Structures are given as C-alpha cells and as structure tokens.
Amino acid sequence: MAQKQEYLSKNQKIVLDIIEKSAQPMKAYSILFNVQKKGLKAPPQVYRALDKLVEIGKIHKIESRNAFIACRNSACTIANATAFSICESCEDVKEISSSKLSKYLSNFQDKEGMKYNKYNLEFFGLCKKCK
Amino acid sequence: MAQKQEYLSKNQKIVLDIIEKSAQPMKAYSILFNVQKKGLKAPPQVYRALDKLVEIGKIHKIESRNAFIACRNSACTIANATAFSICESCEDVKEISSSKLSKYLSNFQDKEGMKYNKYNLEFFGLCKKCK
DNA sequence: AATTTTATTGTTATATTATTACATAGTTAC
DNA sequence: GTAACTATGTAATAATATAACAATAAAATT
C-alpha cells in the first residue's frame, strides 16, 4: 500500500480549497470556472488535481452525479469505502460515516466468498426538508 | 407507485436485445454502433431506450463505468436497489443478488433515522481470474 | 369512429464530461 | 549533478449525454 502524500501541490490546494468551501458536490467544469481567476485555465489542470485528491481521500466523487465533494471524515481513512445519501429533489448530498455500515460492507462476502475493502454506496431518497 | 410497463417498444427491444447478448456492461455509444444496422442512428434514440429500460429494471447502469448491464434477477424487482462487484483489472462486472445484503441496506438508518429503499452499491476488487 | 391524450420516433444540433498528447519546469533520490 | 519522477501549461479532441422540434403511432375517452 502506497504511503499517503503529505502535502498538496499548488493546483491541488486551489482545487481542494474551492471544493471544501462548497457545502454541496461540485462539477468539474464549475470548479474550472471558479479557479480561472487563480490561473487554472484548462480542464486537465482541474482533472489532474481531482484525480489526485480522490486518490488520497481528500475528496470523493459522487458517481451518479459526476460531482466531487470534500471528505468530512476527520482522518480520511475511508477513501476506498464511501457511502452517501443523496436527496433526489434538492440534490443535497451527505457523506455517511457509520462504522457499523463500513464494517458490514467490508466483511460482506459474495457467493464465491470474495470480500471487498473498496466500495462506493449511494443511497437515494428525499431529505428532511424535501419530504 | 407506477405500474411497470409490460411491453417494450421497438427501439427498447432492440437496445435491450443487444445488452442482453453481452456478458459485460456496454457503453451507450457502443450500443449505438451495434444498433445502427437496425436503423437507430442517433444518440437520443439509444439514450431514451436506456432511460426507460433502467426505469423498469430491465437493465442497470454501472455508474462508475458509464455502462449498462442487463438485469439477471428473475423478477427484476430490485431496479432501485442494486449491487455489483467490479474487477478493477479486467472490468468484469457481476450483479450481486443477496437478500441479506438488500435487507441490511434497505433497513439501514442514517444518523437522523432515515431509511432508503433506493440505493446503488459498487464493490471493487480483483476477480478470481485476475487475482 | 372521432377525439384527445400519451408515448414513441426521427433528426439536427449542441451541451457536458473527460482524456490524449506534447512541451516544459520543478523536486527528489542517488 | 544527473536521472527519475512529479507537476504544470496548453491545444486539441474524445466520450458521454441532452435540448429542441417535428412527426407518428398507440391508448384512453367520449
């Protein structure tokens, strides 16, 4: 297992910063638009930073929405094991950090007895406000 | 809850047919290429069929791969509650049908006591062959 | 049967999301 | 200091998905 990188590069900091300031997931091109004043002009600059940030667990990708959200788990140890609840009305997204759930899922065995320590789970429904 | 539709339209049949013949998930434009000999020439024709087939549970979308796979569960009752294992090496995808897992997940309550009967879970790892 | 409504189709164009490729510069390890 | 690696800048393009509109066809209502 590769050691987690301890510092962030200039572009990675800029991209992480903008994502952390958003309560909700951000799309790549929205991030791009927001960081243009900081000198990041082209998609690859953003996508490279996103790739790295996902890899080290600072952010997560919400696959069903093609959007990126900052990890709020103190230690970001669950970069590979993520769970979210998504409101289908207002698109509010919350990361779920339940050790019970993560234990259950990392211990889950399929029919061939195989286990997985990497997974992504997205729950859909209506949030409190929208219900 | 809306009644499930009992028949498929011409284009829906064509698209479903090609997906069912594939052991692995298919991408939309690969489907498009394959159905051009049957007269479906433009992306919207394929995407509309895909949307409908997903809605009625005949196929599922593998969100992390932007690809579509036929549902192999007899009754297709779990259109809203899907789980897959994905091999990160050969990209082999298998639908997981475990009533234990689906019960666990549909009974899962988040910190606010909220339950979700709709979810998508994608497990990642190496399949038998690739391990 | 005629009307109305709903679902489906065909088509063009375009929007959105993401990557390739290549040149350059900075950092780290030896 | 040089080699190896990591990050950056830039242009071009690939891949994924939707909007908008006109036309048909099928189903439901009268």
Side-chain angles (χ1 to χ4, degrees), chain B residues 5 7-15 49 52:
Chain B
Q5 108 181 24
Y7 66 92
L8 296 177
S9 75
K10 180 182 131 254
N11 289 0
Q12 289 158 16
K13 272 182 208 140
I14 291 172
V15 169
K52 198 64 164 190

Side-chain angles (χ1 to χ4, degrees), chain B residues 21-129:
Chain B
K21 281 184 178 142
S22 168
Q24 290 309 310
M26 292 188 77
K27 304 215 150 209
Y29 274 73
S30 157
I31 293 166
L32 176 57
F33 177 81
N34 276 274
V35 297
Q36 275 175 339
K37 63 196 76 151
K38 306 233 169 160
L40 279 80
K41 296 182 207 153
Q45 296 175 295
V46 168
Y47 279 100
R48 283 174 191 143
L50 289 172
D51 287 349
K52 198 64 164 190
L53 292 168
V54 166
E55 189 189 325
I56 64 179
K58 290 288 186 186
I59 64 172
H60 305 302
K61 182 171 187 182
I62 309 298
E63 293 287 358
S64 66
R65 299 298 186 260
N66 297 319
F68 301 84
I69 193 171
C71 178
R72 308 293 185 192
N73 287 293
S74 49
C76 284
T77 52
I78 59 162
N80 296 324
T82 49
F84 305 94
S85 75
I86 303 171
C87 175
E88 290 185 297
S89 170
C90 70
E91 293 296 320
D92 181 75
V93 173
K94 282 199 175 46
E95 185 167 1
I96 293 172
S97 49
S98 156
S99 56
K100 263 184 99 175
L101 177 63
S102 57
K103 269 178 203 156
Y104 182 87
L105 291 176
S106 32
N107 287 322
F108 175 79
Q109 295 192 16
D110 67 16
K111 283 176 179 166
E112 293 164 357
M114 189 162 156
K115 285 190 181 186
Y116 305 87
N117 55 11
K118 183 169 176 185
Y119 60 77
N120 179 54
L121 170 58
E122 299 181 5
F123 282 112
F124 305 95
L126 294 177
C127 72
K128 269 188 178 174
K129 281 186 192 168

